[in-house]
Amino acid sequence: MSTVDQRVAALAPPRFTSPSVFSWVILVGFAAFFIQGFLSADVTLARMVQGFGNLGTFFAQAWPPDTSRLTPIAKAMLETVNMALVGVTFGVILSLPIALLCSSNTSPNGFVRWLSRMVVATLRTVPELVWALIFVVAVGLGPLAGILAIIMDTIGFCARFFSERIEEISPGPSEALSSTGSGRLSVIFGAIIPESMASLTATSLYGVEKAIRSAVVLGLVGAGGIGVELSTAMRMFRYDQALTIILVILVVVIGFEQVSSAIRRRVL
Amino acid sequence: MSTVDQRVAALAPPRFTSPSVFSWVILVGFAAFFIQGFLSADVTLARMVQGFGNLGTFFAQAWPPDTSRLTPIAKAMLETVNMALVGVTFGVILSLPIALLCSSNTSPNGFVRWLSRMVVATLRTVPELVWALIFVVAVGLGPLAGILAIIMDTIGFCARFFSERIEEISPGPSEALSSTGSGRLSVIFGAIIPESMASLTATSLYGVEKAIRSAVVLGLVGAGGIGVELSTAMRMFRYDQALTIILVILVVVIGFEQVSSAIRRRVL
Amino acid sequence: MNPIEVRGLQKHFGKVHVLRGLDFNVPAGEGAILLGANGCGKSTLMRCLIGLTRPDAGQIRMVETDVRQAGRREMKQMRRRVGMVFQRFNLVGNCSVLQNVLYGALGRHRLGILRVAQPLAPAEERDRAIHCLDRVGLADRAGQRADTLSGGQQQRVAIARMLMQGPEVVLADEPIASLDPRAGREVMDLLWEVIREEGMTVICTLHQLDVALAYGDRVIGMKAGRVELDGPASGFSADELETLYHGEVRVDGQPGEPGGSGTPQREPIAVAS
Amino acid sequence: MNPIEVRGLQKHFGKVHVLRGLDFNVPAGEGAILLGANGCGKSTLMRCLIGLTRPDAGQIRMVETDVRQAGRREMKQMRRRVGMVFQRFNLVGNCSVLQNVLYGALGRHRLGILRVAQPLAPAEERDRAIHCLDRVGLADRAGQRADTLSGGQQQRVAIARMLMQGPEVVLADEPIASLDPRAGREVMDLLWEVIREEGMTVICTLHQLDVALAYGDRVIGMKAGRVELDGPASGFSADELETLYHGEVRVDGQPGEPGGSGTPQREPIAVAS
Amino acid sequence: GPCPDTLRFADTGIEGMEEMVRAFGPFGDALGEAVGSEIEFFPVSDRTAAVNALQFDQVDIILAGPSEYAVMRARQDVQMMVGIERAEYGTAFVVHADSDIHSLDDLRGKEVALKDPGSTTGHIVPSWMLVEAGLDLDRDLNTHLLDGARFEALINRDVDAMGSGVRDVARLKERDPEGAYRVIAESDTMPRDIFVARGGLDEACVAHVNEQIMADAESLMDAILGPGERDKYTEARFVNDLTEAEFDMITEAYDLVGLPLD
Ligand SMILES: Nc1ncnc2c1ncn2[C@@H]1O[C@H](COP(=O)(O)OP(=O)(O)OP(=O)(O)O)[C@@H](O)[C@H]1O
Ligand SMILES: Nc1ncnc2c1ncn2[C@@H]1O[C@H](COP(=O)(O)OP(=O)(O)OP(=O)(O)O)[C@@H](O)[C@H]1O
Ligand SMILES: [Mg+2]
Ligand SMILES: [Mg+2]
């Protein structure tokens, strides 16, 4: 190799850069937790083999699905979709501004950002049952309390994912708009929202789906819905009825997923 | 205006393009559900005003948080984090290939894509309680069943969000890599994964947080954890203990969020 | 007072000292061409001028606003009067071409987006946008999504957006890099026509020395983060300009290594197939 | 047989008929320059050649492979032998420059990514990558993230990646658009040096007519989706090439409107401030 | 009548009353007609939520199990109404027939599946029975609140015994027809399910509703049970002889298991 070669080869970055303190902390922490968790799992093969045999018996109890209660189930499903849509719609409308406050590239300042992230994390952490209690106290039993609980849940989820996506969009277009001297809001609606539209729709529709799946909260506030049907069926050990309900939910979930990807195809 | 002006002005696209049939169906469907749901909510202001007064009394029951059981709570939290990390780790590892099969830009063909989306939707739709039952039958009570349930839940969630993000990355870099004649896998690991890394990390860490928050499933399979603590406190009307537990969860949730954004800052 | 005044401008990216004390003014109505090798800091300078990148030291006055001291309001007012054409176009990919051009008017309306969104924009703004598009030869593409245009077409849309803004000062970062020769001349003609008509002030980055000499009133040559040449275009020959690209042109050459890494080492590589 | 053979190639995007029956061959070892106005379909043609865009009709043979009929394996084998430099660089933004160049070798290794990932790549590949970078003058930037480079630097990295691939045929889409004049010449010198040494075949899109005439063995001129000029570079004057950019150059001019929208209408716009 | 125009009813998701909740529509209609108010029914699937709703006057009357009633009377102002007496209401401990556990005392050092926290027959009473048998819940054995998974856990022998509602014994055999099971302990007569009115509800109204229910007890129960589901409740009937003392054993049980209702 010529001397020039050696000079140039010396410019190659090392294969492994020693990880930063931060990476070490994360890695070691993860490993510690993971190993503890893994050991606690105590996987014994023999047990698993025998167990999987049992599954047949278990599933046999659910087959064939009992469709005798299909009409009330469908009605409950419809009610649930209605309430979920209302809750998620308001939730999404509220999530958008909150997400903008949470994102590093749209937040007015670090403190606001920190605060709104805390709020969102709290909304997410408070369990559904607690939301149910709070709203039952505040507005009484019934759909309204359920819808309010769904709104809280939606904000906790959507605001977080919206903000994540907003942080990931390429900064070019927003820089271009703000360099015409336009205000923050115009930049947001002119560049940031259009650029992240596909993701926002998908996340919102996932929110609806999520609200439907976790429709138990509607049961907690006496608003009925599919969640009550399912938990009743499970408690009565009517697995064949439960299967029917799960299948109905599955149809709706897939339906929302289809709508979601159809919209995305148009926007992306 | 000169004739040239008019010719040119005629090229302007119309202000409103009449929405497609698809848009109409979606819009009308949404409106119908939304209105029904909204009417069912039956918002009466008087009721709400009275109710909000009650909230003070309600919160007074939870204040001050009862920290007498902090040690067992912390221990339960730790166990939960352990199990959640193991479950989510495996869930994420499995989600990645599934997400690649689900995404329009990485799936080998339409049928595989459809099938894997169905599978993911099903994993998501089956309620936690059912997963708990299935795994109790299959592998017996204990952490293993809980971890398996978390894995299923994680796949249902992560695979969907991974695939969404993968569909949104800009096609340029992958086209560049595949035009060197490299195989699908190399393109995926060379361009698609690095490009969507920030989002994948954030989604995965959200997965951990989600698993911790919904740790009740661990209780259902006899694996203990923070979920049992919380639901016991709530069912026993020990709101002050419940508050302590929620605060502990909140600390962990915020911790994971901080780690998540620290990692994102490095990758983005 | 000159619309563009720069004093002792400094900028580091990490350890790389990109702008190393720049000083220059551009008087009103002048069309200045900024030349310099790749990576010498031209785009960074432009971004500092419009306040997108914060310099480390020095002073910038744009249309009488001190950019480093400006609050949000002053910054907005300044930016309204300064149009920028970005090197990488920065169009909003999934909006229509017309919408992208309408965005040029964003700063001008109090209600912002509510007055420039395609379905809401007043008829005169729409007409103006179509005319701006027509000037860059793309009026018939008004309804197409911006990201389905070819590279050169996107660059023209970016120029139309700047025209739509109707600024006093134009910062154009390689506005003709992806244009075909005729379109490039047309765009330069257009820019200079508008400058003359409106008395605009322009800084335009270019890599085409012939174009620079043909159009520029003034040439500012950057080299390794400093202004190396500065004077009326008529005072320079193409050969003089060429010196900007030779020797220590980079801002990151290892110090103490004369003739450093700026010159690529020529050594045939065995290119196996 | 020629490494590049195109017969009756047609491509529509929606209603826009972009490629309208192209026919040409490029024999081995020839350096052909592809000229044409913005939006005339040059990039689309390049993408068809390497199989990234599916044409509607016609035949394409690249290095003896029928691109439209090729299965996955054949397509991969063909692509291994054909290097592409994209108009918009298409670097992986959050990987290092070195990693981006190493990706050029992806197709060559059976284990793919496992043999070219920066920490795993064999020493000779790493050396080769550094040398390719050195050839474009960026060896000292090897460790930097690709998206922090300036526009021109990114373009050079894209060229280094192509060099790393060591292909038989090179498709370069405006490889020097964002390069400064010296870097542009150096890259063209480099390309032609490598062509000559390795007997490579090149199609290179350009908008600089002087460069086209100085370097091209052959010039292919496209206009409105068809090949309009085709012959040895020495046979054309700059004025002849200029005709490519005049008249009905666009692929989307409204039919039945002679002199259509290709020519921008010049009418001063009132640019209010 | 002395009652408001609409009476809001809820249930607390008590063990074994799911069928009844489903059939609440006809019952509500029949009762509404008798009482002269419109009955609005909220199927509240969680006892905490239902109890909370009653405390904050968001519901007028709830149908509660003994455990909930004991909690409510300790925490808030409530009025006792009529009750429902069911056959097969109580707690039983079940083990595999081939197991060597024959009494509660044999459960020392074993794993026991219970239902969910706060459940009368699935948590409070079985815990109380264990304490009565001289076992320390924290040290002498492991209890798991498994809810739905308690059957599977016993069938697979992940736990040695299950303490749950008496009706669960039949269910268990239904779930695992091949298995053989044995009951090792059963609770004494249990307090009955009870309708509870919020403290603020007019006493006259409470009395009126009680009266109307008892006057029409047979046909109201028919309305609840409906044709198909009938057999499961053949022995359920409305009763109006509940006393506070009846529920003292539950309060005591809460105390004994270390969850005092202060
Ligand atoms: N965000 C950043 N982080 C680190 N380095 C940067 C960043 N932005 C620019 N640089 C570096 O600063 C130097 C100047 O970049 P700049 O984009 O201003 O160059 P330029 O003169 O516009 O070049 P070109 O003609 O290629 O567009 C380059 O070496 C580049 O790598
Ligand atoms: N995905 C697409 N959808 C619709 N139209 C497209 C798409 N891609 C390209 N076009 C159109 O096809 C035409 C040719 O585009 P192409 O990118 O091939 O032009 P080009 O010759 O490379 O131009 P330039 O010199 O500006 O790069 C343009 O009019 C463009 O708008
Ligand atoms: Mg630049
Ligand atoms: Mg092109």
Side-chain angles (χ1 to χ4, degrees):
Chain A
M1 248 186 203
S2 73
T3 41
V4 172
D5 275 350
Q6 272 160 17
R7 185 193 60 77
V8 164
L11 295 171
R15 279 167 191 274
F16 302 95
T17 42
S18 88
S20 63
V21 177
F22 170 80
S23 315
W24 271 116
V25 171
I26 295 286
L27 262 168
V28 170
F30 172 79
F33 280 113
F34 184 87
I35 290 169
Q36 273 186 62
F38 196 79
L39 293 181
S40 76
D42 188 26
V43 187
T44 47
L45 257 184
R47 182 62 226 272
M48 286 181 71
V49 172
Q50 178 232 318
F52 277 103
N54 295 342
L55 275 180
T57 333
F58 176 77
F59 287 124
Q61 294 171 26
W63 198 260
D66 170 8
T67 53
S68 61
R69 283 181 47 78
L70 202 55
T71 322
I73 289 172
K75 203 167 142 274
M77 188 74 237
L78 199 75
E79 281 168 24
T80 306
V81 173
N82 287 342
M83 290 184 267
L85 266 185
V86 175
V88 172
T89 305
F90 285 109
V92 166
I93 292 171
L94 293 170
S95 294
L96 206 53
I98 299 178
L100 291 166
L101 295 179
C102 291
S103 307
S104 52
N105 49 345
T106 51
S107 186
N109 62 57
F111 176 73
V112 170
R113 177 161 179 249
W114 175 84
L115 191 74
S116 33
R117 294 180 83 115
M118 286 295 136
V119 170
V120 172
T122 311
L123 292 184
R124 209 159 60 223
T125 305
V126 172
E128 282 180 333
L129 176 57
V130 174
W131 285 127
L133 294 186
I134 291 176
F135 290 120
V136 164
V137 172
V139 302
L141 289 175
L144 181 56
I147 288 172
L148 290 172
I150 291 177
I151 291 178
M152 295 299 138
D153 211 51
T154 304
I155 296 176
F157 168 76
C158 282
R160 146 106 199 215
F161 272 80
F162 285 1
S163 115
E164 206 166 79
R165 188 70 185 89
I166 287 170
E167 286 182 350
E168 278 173 30
I169 61 167
S170 61
S174 357
E175 284 180 350
L177 294 212
S178 63
S179 74
T180 67
S182 48
R184 225 185 259 280
L185 276 179
S186 297
V187 173
I188 286 166
F189 284 97
I192 292 178
I193 306 273
E195 290 256 302
S196 49
M197 202 56 184
S199 183
L200 300 194
T201 343
T203 308
S204 307
L205 283 163
Y206 179 85
V208 178
E209 199 201 293
K210 179 172 140 74
I212 290 171
R213 282 186 287 114
S214 68
V216 272
V217 71
L218 295 174
L220 298 180
V221 299
I226 196 81
V228 181
E229 289 288 337
L230 181 60
S231 70
T232 308
M234 290 299 295
R235 283 207 199 174
M236 291 165 63
F237 302 98
R238 296 298 307 269
Y239 292 158
D240 48 355
Q241 272 180 24
L243 181 59
T244 311
I245 297 171
I246 293 175
L247 289 176
V248 169
I249 301 178
L250 185 61
V251 168
V252 174
V253 165
I254 288 173
F256 272 96
E257 188 162 295
Q258 295 297 351
V259 170
S260 165
S261 58
I263 295 182
R264 280 164 62 78
R265 255 200 308 281
R266 270 144 235 257
V267 186
L268 218 58
Chain B
M1 248 190 206
S2 74
T3 41
V4 172
D5 275 351
Q6 273 160 19
R7 183 193 63 74
V8 166
L11 294 172
R15 276 167 190 277
F16 300 97
T17 42
S18 88
S20 64
V21 177
F22 170 80
S23 315
W24 271 117
V25 170
I26 296 286
L27 263 169
V28 169
F30 172 78
F33 280 112
F34 184 87
I35 291 168
Q36 275 187 61
F38 196 77
L39 293 181
S40 78
D42 188 25
V43 187
T44 48
L45 258 186
R47 180 120 167 259
M48 286 180 71
V49 172
Q50 178 231 318
F52 276 104
N54 292 340
L55 276 180
T57 328
F58 173 74
F59 287 125
Q61 295 173 20
W63 197 259
D66 170 8
T67 51
S68 60
R69 279 178 49 76
L70 202 56
T71 322
I73 289 172
K75 202 167 143 274
M77 188 74 237
L78 200 75
E79 281 169 26
T80 306
V81 173
N82 286 343
M83 289 186 268
L85 267 185
V86 175
V88 173
T89 305
F90 285 109
V92 165
I93 291 171
L94 293 170
S95 294
L96 206 53
I98 300 179
L100 292 166
L101 295 179
C102 289
S103 307
S104 52
N105 50 345
T106 50
S107 186
N109 64 57
F111 175 74
V112 170
R113 179 163 176 248
W114 175 86
L115 191 74
S116 34
R117 293 179 82 114
M118 287 294 137
V119 169
V120 173
T122 310
L123 291 185
R124 207 158 60 223
T125 306
V126 172
E128 280 181 333
L129 175 58
V130 175
W131 284 127
L133 289 182
I134 291 176
F135 290 120
V136 165
V137 172
V139 302
L141 283 183
L144 180 57
I147 289 172
L148 289 172
I150 291 176
I151 292 179
M152 294 298 139
D153 213 51
T154 304
I155 296 177
F157 168 77
C158 283
R160 145 105 197 215
F161 272 80
F162 285 1
S163 116
E164 207 166 79
R165 189 68 188 90
I166 288 171
E167 285 182 351
E168 278 172 32
I169 60 167
S170 61
S174 356
E175 284 181 350
L177 293 213
S178 63
S179 75
T180 66
S182 48
R184 226 186 258 281
L185 277 179
S186 297
V187 173
I188 286 167
F189 284 97
I192 292 179
I193 305 273
E195 291 257 301
S196 47
M197 203 54 185
S199 183
L200 301 193
T201 343
T203 307
S204 308
L205 283 164
Y206 179 86
V208 179
E209 199 202 293
K210 179 171 140 73
I212 290 171
R213 283 185 286 114
S214 69
V216 272
V217 71
L218 295 174
L220 296 180
V221 299
I226 197 82
V228 187
E229 292 286 336
L230 181 61
S231 71
T232 307
M234 292 298 298
R235 291 290 181 80
M236 297 320 238
F237 306 95
R238 296 302 305 267
Y239 296 154
D240 49 354
Q241 264 180 30
L243 181 59
T244 311
I245 297 171
I246 292 175
L247 290 175
V248 169
I249 300 180
L250 185 60
V251 168
V252 174
V253 164
I254 289 173
F256 272 97
E257 188 161 297
Q258 296 297 354
V259 170
S260 164
S261 57
I263 295 183
R264 281 164 61 77
R265 254 199 310 282
R266 270 143 232 257
V267 185
L268 217 58
Chain C
M1 208 186 230
N2 298 314
I4 305 177
E5 300 196 343
V6 176
R7 287 283 152 280
L9 188 64
Q10 305 247 6
K11 175 71 191 171
H12 292 79
F13 281 116
K15 263 179 281 179
V16 184
H17 195 171
V18 179
L19 302 181
R20 301 176 175 179
L22 289 176
D23 293 282
F24 64 91
N25 300 329
V26 184
E30 191 172 71
I33 305 279
L34 182 63
L35 297 176
N38 291 135
C40 76
K42 301 181 299 298
S43 301
T44 307
L45 169 61
M46 297 284 212
R47 292 173 59 87
C48 287
L49 291 183
I50 200 152
L52 287 173
T53 295
R54 288 196 77 77
D56 299 330
Q59 212 200 357
I60 304 174
R61 294 191 73 85
M62 293 289 288
V63 288
E64 274 111 67
T65 310
D66 183 330
V67 175
R68 293 188 69 198
Q69 309 292 326
R72 292 177 56 76
R73 265 175 59 89
E74 289 127 83
M75 186 68 101
K76 267 203 242 175
Q77 261 153 9
M78 179 276 282
R79 284 178 174 173
R80 234 164 263 171
R81 300 163 66 190
V82 180
M84 174 114 177
V85 179
F86 288 83
Q87 186 168 4
R88 307 211 55 181
F89 327 148
N90 290 350
L91 303 182
V92 184
N94 54 357
C95 288
S96 71
V97 167
L98 180 65
Q99 181 63 77
N100 270 285
V101 177
L102 280 168
Y103 281 153
L106 254 184
R108 227 187 296 132
H109 290 279
R110 280 186 127 258
L111 290 172
I113 190 82
L114 293 179
R115 300 294 281 167
V116 305
Q118 199 171 309
L120 307 173
E124 62 267 34
E125 291 289 13
R126 285 168 59 90
D127 284 350
R128 201 180 135 83
I130 289 284
H131 276 89
C132 290
L133 269 178
D134 190 40
R135 263 194 119 150
V136 296
L138 285 174
D140 56 327
R141 289 306 181 94
Q144 195 171 330
R145 260 176 73 140
D147 56 6
T148 62
L149 294 179
S150 80
Q153 291 168 330
Q154 294 192 23
Q155 192 154 46
R156 298 199 218 182
V157 175
I159 291 164
R161 178 170 65 188
M162 184 275 291
L163 291 178
M164 182 74 190
Q165 187 181 345
E168 295 163 40
V169 174
V170 175
L171 306 176
D173 198 359
E174 306 195 19
I176 60 167
S178 334
L179 297 188
D180 66 50
R182 176 155 171 258
R185 272 198 313 278
E186 276 168 8
V187 164
M188 289 304 286
D189 284 343
L190 176 65
L191 266 177
W192 254 249
E193 203 177 293
V194 179
I195 298 170
R196 301 302 176 226
E197 269 169 31
E198 311 285 329
M200 280 184 186
T201 313
V202 175
I203 298 185
C204 176
T205 308
L206 285 181
H207 285 310
Q208 292 88 336
L209 302 187
D210 50 338
V211 179
L213 290 177
Y215 287 85
D217 298 326
R218 152 119 170 264
V219 169
I220 303 173
M222 278 178 72
K223 193 164 167 180
R226 286 203 187 78
V227 174
E228 180 89 4
L229 295 178
D230 191 352
S234 51
F236 295 110
S237 68
D239 284 348
E240 277 174 290
L241 297 183
E242 276 281 346
T243 61
L244 288 173
Y245 306 100
H246 291 274
E248 177 78 274
V249 297
R250 295 260 298 277
V251 293
D252 49 356
Q254 283 80 347
E257 197 189 42
S261 54
T263 323
Q265 304 294 332
R266 284 292 181 68
E267 245 236 315
I269 319 170
V271 182
S273 62
Chain D
M1 207 186 231
N2 299 315
I4 305 178
E5 300 196 345
V6 177
R7 291 278 154 280
L9 188 64
Q10 306 246 6
K11 175 70 190 172
H12 292 79
F13 280 118
K15 265 181 281 181
V16 184
H17 195 169
V18 179
L19 302 181
R20 301 174 174 180
L22 290 175
D23 292 283
F24 65 90
N25 300 330
V26 183
E30 191 173 69
I33 304 279
L34 183 63
L35 297 176
N38 290 135
C40 76
K42 302 181 298 299
S43 299
T44 307
L45 168 61
M46 297 283 213
R47 291 173 59 87
C48 287
L49 291 184
I50 201 152
L52 288 172
T53 295
R54 285 197 79 77
D56 300 331
Q59 213 200 355
I60 303 173
R61 293 191 74 83
M62 294 287 287
V63 287
E64 274 112 67
T65 310
D66 183 331
V67 175
R68 294 190 68 201
Q69 311 291 326
R72 292 178 55 77
R73 265 176 60 91
E74 288 127 86
M75 186 70 100
K76 266 203 243 174
Q77 261 154 7
M78 179 275 282
R79 285 177 172 172
R80 234 163 263 172
R81 299 164 64 190
V82 179
M84 175 115 177
V85 179
F86 289 83
Q87 187 168 4
R88 309 209 53 181
F89 327 147
N90 290 350
L91 303 182
V92 184
N94 54 358
C95 288
S96 71
V97 167
L98 179 66
Q99 180 64 76
N100 270 286
V101 176
L102 280 169
Y103 281 153
L106 254 185
R108 226 186 298 132
H109 289 280
R110 281 186 127 260
L111 290 172
I113 190 80
L114 294 178
R115 298 297 280 169
V116 304
Q118 200 171 307
L120 307 174
E124 62 267 31
E125 291 289 12
R126 286 168 58 91
D127 283 351
R128 201 178 135 85
I130 289 285
H131 276 90
C132 290
L133 269 177
D134 190 40
R135 264 193 118 148
V136 296
L138 285 173
D140 55 330
R141 289 305 181 97
Q144 195 171 330
R145 259 177 73 141
D147 55 6
T148 61
L149 293 180
S150 80
Q153 290 168 331
Q154 293 193 23
Q155 193 154 47
R156 298 198 218 181
V157 175
I159 291 164
R161 177 169 65 187
M162 183 276 290
L163 291 178
M164 182 73 189
Q165 189 181 343
E168 294 164 39
V169 175
V170 174
L171 306 176
D173 199 358
E174 306 194 21
I176 61 168
S178 333
L179 297 189
D180 67 51
R182 175 153 172 256
R185 272 198 316 278
E186 276 169 7
V187 164
M188 289 303 286
D189 284 344
L190 177 65
L191 266 178
W192 255 249
E193 202 177 294
V194 179
I195 297 170
R196 301 302 175 226
E197 268 169 32
E198 311 285 328
M200 280 185 186
T201 313
V202 175
I203 299 185
C204 174
T205 309
L206 286 181
H207 286 311
Q208 292 88 332
L209 302 188
D210 50 339
V211 179
L213 290 177
Y215 287 86
D217 298 326
R218 153 122 170 260
V219 169
I220 303 173
M222 278 178 72
K223 194 165 168 180
R226 285 201 187 78
V227 174
E228 182 89 4
L229 295 178
D230 190 352
S234 51
F236 295 110
S237 69
D239 286 347
E240 278 173 289
L241 297 184
E242 276 282 344
T243 61
L244 288 173
Y245 306 100
H246 292 275
E248 177 78 273
V249 297
R250 296 262 298 275
V251 291
D252 49 358
Q254 284 80 349
E257 198 189 41
S261 55
T263 323
Q265 303 294 327
R266 284 293 181 68
E267 245 232 316
I269 319 172
V271 182
S273 63
Chain E
C3 286
D5 291 343
T6 46
L7 269 181
R8 292 162 298 169
F9 258 79
D11 78 301
T12 61
I14 47 180
E15 157 70 10
M17 297 294 273
E18 290 88 1
E19 292 95 335
M20 169 167 173
V21 171
R22 271 188 184 169
F24 205 94
F27 169 72
D29 292 344
L31 182 64
E33 218 164 278
V35 174
S37 303
E38 196 181 320
I39 304 283
E40 205 178 340
F41 178 66
F42 300 99
V44 177
S45 51
D46 186 275
R47 59 171 64 84
T48 312
V51 168
N52 200 55
L54 193 77
Q55 181 185 4
F56 291 99
D57 296 348
Q58 299 293 6
V59 68
D60 298 307
I61 296 171
I62 62 179
L63 171 55
S67 163
E68 288 82 47
Y69 180 67
V71 169
M72 276 187 282
R73 68 176 185 184
R75 285 164 45 95
Q76 63 208 55
D77 182 18
V78 291
Q79 307 178 48
M80 171 183 272
M81 297 178 66
V82 296
I84 293 181
E85 186 174 286
R86 293 187 272 158
E88 297 198 312
Y89 188 50
T91 296
F93 278 86
V94 201
V95 296
H96 282 274
D98 55 7
S99 124
D100 53 3
I101 298 167
H102 295 282
S103 70
L104 289 181
D105 198 54
D106 293 342
L107 287 174
R108 214 172 280 277
K110 304 283 198 232
E111 309 281 325
V112 178
L114 299 180
K115 213 184 148 212
D116 58 324
S119 158
T120 312
T121 56
H123 180 207
I124 303 302
V125 173
S127 304
W128 176 71
M129 289 166 71
L130 291 170
V131 173
E132 288 281 271
L135 296 153
D136 182 315
L137 293 180
D138 291 326
R139 278 186 283 116
D140 294 341
L141 76 173
N142 274 327
T143 56
H144 303 277
L145 293 166
L146 293 181
D147 207 347
R150 61 193 188 276
F151 292 96
E152 273 65 33
L154 180 64
I155 293 170
N156 294 335
R157 297 171 192 266
D158 281 321
V159 292
D160 304 292
M162 172 180 88
S164 190
V166 171
R167 287 179 59 198
D168 285 346
V169 180
R171 276 181 176 156
L172 183 63
K173 288 179 175 153
E174 212 173 281
R175 305 288 299 284
D176 183 21
E178 279 110 81
Y181 295 94
R182 179 154 53 77
V183 172
I184 54 164
E186 217 165 318
S187 64
D188 302 330
T189 328
M190 294 274 292
R192 292 161 286 186
D193 295 325
I194 175 173
F195 284 94
V196 187
R198 65 184 167 92
L201 191 65
D202 192 355
E203 274 174 37
C205 173
V206 173
H208 178 64
V209 175
N210 279 342
E211 234 166 73
Q212 293 303 323
I213 290 179
M214 292 318 294
D216 230 354
E218 285 283 309
S219 57
L220 281 177
M221 190 51 77
D222 281 350
I224 289 179
L225 301 179
E229 316 266 8
R230 217 189 148 99
D231 45 330
K232 292 198 174 150
Y233 276 117
T234 31
E235 277 159 78
R237 61 187 185 93
F238 287 105
V239 291
N240 64 349
D241 57 349
L242 300 176
T243 59
E244 293 288 350
E246 184 173 345
F247 297 93
D248 287 348
M249 81 161 271
I250 299 291
T251 307
E252 213 174 293
Y254 266 103
D255 268 339
L256 276 180
V257 301
L259 302 161
L261 297 172
D262 38 55

